[in-house]
Amino acid sequence: ENSAQDSLYRKLTQMVDEGKFEKAENILWERAEKKDLLDLQLAAAVYSYMNEKEDIFLEQNNYCRQEIEEGIRGLLMRFGVSIPADSWF
């Protein structure tokens, strides 16, 4: 399972590097349907990777930090986890 997760992480971060944020996000949300904690861990890692990108890169790819925050909050809520508004970013 770990090698499969690692492989998927590499695939998703490559999508992010190519500016395919929405495609990567869609995969994360599809996987979240199962409510497997490994998928939540994967999503947190990918959203963290997205958040490390420069603002200009996000803008060039029609994405923003607010979308990253909304995405991770939405996934956390799906798993029954809530965090205070100022804790993540």
Side-chain angles (χ1 to χ4, degrees):
E1 183 73 38
N2 251 358
S3 64
Q5 288 290 104
D6 291 344
S7 176
L8 183 56
Y9 175 79
R10 286 191 300 277
K11 176 182 173 181
L12 293 170
T13 55
Q14 181 178 353
M15 286 180 189
V16 170
D17 289 342
E18 294 170 357
K20 299 175 182 172
F21 288 88
E22 289 181 20
K23 187 172 182 178
E25 245 190 333
N26 288 341
I27 291 170
L28 292 173
W29 278 91
E30 286 172 18
R31 294 185 63 87
E33 296 286 326
K34 298 181 297 179
K35 293 192 177 182
D36 182 328
L37 288 179
L38 284 175
D39 289 323
L40 177 58
Q41 184 180 14
L42 174 68
V46 173
Y47 276 113
S48 178
Y49 186 82
M50 289 178 180
N51 198 45
E52 292 172 5
K53 296 298 180 187
E54 298 287 330
D55 288 338
I56 189 71
F57 182 78
L58 296 174
E59 291 171 21
Q60 289 171 340
N61 290 286
N62 300 313
Y63 214 71
C64 66
R65 299 220 182 270
Q66 181 178 347
E67 288 177 284
I68 296 169
E69 182 177 359
E70 289 170 0
I72 192 63
R73 284 186 186 283
L75 280 171
L76 286 170
M77 285 175 48
R78 177 166 288 195
F79 281 84
V81 178
S82 64
I83 55 174
D86 59 355
S87 294
W88 185 261
F89 290 86

